[in-house]
Amino acid sequence: MELRHIRYFLAVAEEMSFTRAAEKLCIAQPPLSRQIRDLEEELGVSLFLRKPHALQLTDEGQVFRQYAVRVLDLVRRSEEDVREMQTGLHGVIYLATVEGHGPKLFAQWIAGFQKENPHVTYNLWNGNSDDVLNRLMKGLCELAIIMEPHNAEGVYAVPVYAEPWIAMIPDACPLAKEPGDTVDFQRLTEYDLIIPSRESRLQEIAGWFDSPEKS
């Protein structure tokens, strides 16, 4: 059995007509019919039911069609992989990130990666950490940047950047009039705070205080 037999068979199976399949393949009908007969003889089964004005796949033909599609798909993928060895990687890398420093990090990584893989393209999605992590868990992206902490299982995480926590205080607040550029977080317990609603972030902030209920 050769690849041409599989291609010829699929053409006939798609068109359900030797005449139309021959036109599609740009060959004469008699040679096409002979190739299908040779394939059937090799397999020892009839792949088509031939009627005066109709053509139909047999049960064996239905099964063989499933395998034939897989074979040609494997051939196509192998050809692409071999070509990539000469011309570099191809395809789309799906990325997801939170706002802030994440897009800048991806821009730096892409710039370096693209020098060696110019045929690769990128799809970048932005959202909050929970949404980004959800996309990663569902396989909608290959690489993601989120803010720690996270409680997802099965995720391999590597720290890539550190950002400080910043307390934004009105000028009229007594804390703003104190010397220095930092505030002891215990002093913040005296005030109502607006903090992120993300559960893992709430737990982190609560852990900073001796009395979590004050957070």
Side-chain angles (χ1 to χ4, degrees):
M1 185 186 307
E2 299 181 16
L3 284 177
R4 72 170 184 274
H5 292 120
I6 296 176
R7 292 191 175 98
Y8 289 170
F9 165 78
L10 285 177
V12 177
E14 290 171 1
E15 298 295 334
M16 280 302 165
S17 165
F18 280 96
T19 301
R20 291 194 298 271
E23 294 174 352
K24 181 178 181 179
L25 294 167
C26 299
I27 63 174
Q29 181 176 335
L32 174 60
S33 298
R34 284 198 302 271
Q35 294 290 335
I36 298 300
R37 287 290 187 188
D38 291 343
L39 178 60
E40 290 176 319
E41 290 178 5
E42 182 175 352
L43 294 173
V45 298
S46 295
L47 298 174
F48 295 96
L49 290 176
R50 296 163 174 81
K51 299 179 181 180
H53 301 290
L55 199 62
Q56 182 180 343
L57 281 170
T58 63
D59 291 340
E60 294 82 358
Q62 294 280 4
V63 172
F64 186 75
R65 182 179 186 178
Q66 296 177 15
Y67 284 102
V69 170
R70 296 179 193 174
V71 168
L72 289 189
D73 181 62
L74 184 60
V75 170
R76 176 187 58 77
R77 291 166 57 186
S78 66
E79 291 173 345
E80 291 177 352
D81 289 345
V82 170
R83 282 196 294 268
E84 286 179 358
M85 294 178 66
Q86 297 294 325
T87 61
L89 294 176
H90 292 71
V92 181
I93 297 179
Y94 290 85
L95 309 170
T97 181
V98 294
E99 296 291 348
H101 203 74
K104 182 178 180 180
L105 284 174
F106 269 139
Q108 294 172 347
W109 298 344
I110 289 172
F113 189 77
Q114 197 168 32
K115 291 180 180 178
E116 297 183 2
N117 303 277
H119 303 295
V120 174
T121 58
Y122 307 87
N123 183 297
L124 182 60
W125 188 90
N126 290 342
N128 61 46
S129 289
D130 290 334
D131 290 339
V132 169
L133 189 58
N134 183 52
R135 291 181 70 85
L136 182 66
M137 298 298 291
K138 289 183 177 180
L140 299 177
C141 64
E142 284 86 27
L143 184 65
I145 296 177
I146 63 172
M147 299 290 292
E148 288 186 321
H150 70 82
N151 54 8
E153 297 182 359
V155 173
Y156 178 69
V158 178
V160 294
Y161 189 77
E163 289 184 316
W165 279 92
I166 297 176
M168 301 181 67
I169 303 171
D171 289 337
C173 179
L175 291 178
K177 304 182 186 314
E178 294 186 359
D181 297 328
T182 61
V183 176
D184 190 313
F185 64 82
Q186 290 292 347
R187 295 290 310 278
L188 298 177
T189 60
E190 305 170 15
Y191 301 89
D192 293 329
L193 304 178
I194 299 175
I195 60 179
S197 61
R198 183 181 170 206
E199 183 61 29
S200 59
R201 190 56 57 85
L202 287 173
Q203 295 174 2
E204 180 186 24
I205 294 174
W208 295 349
F209 301 90
D210 295 332
S211 300
E213 66 272 12
K214 291 182 181 182
S215 62

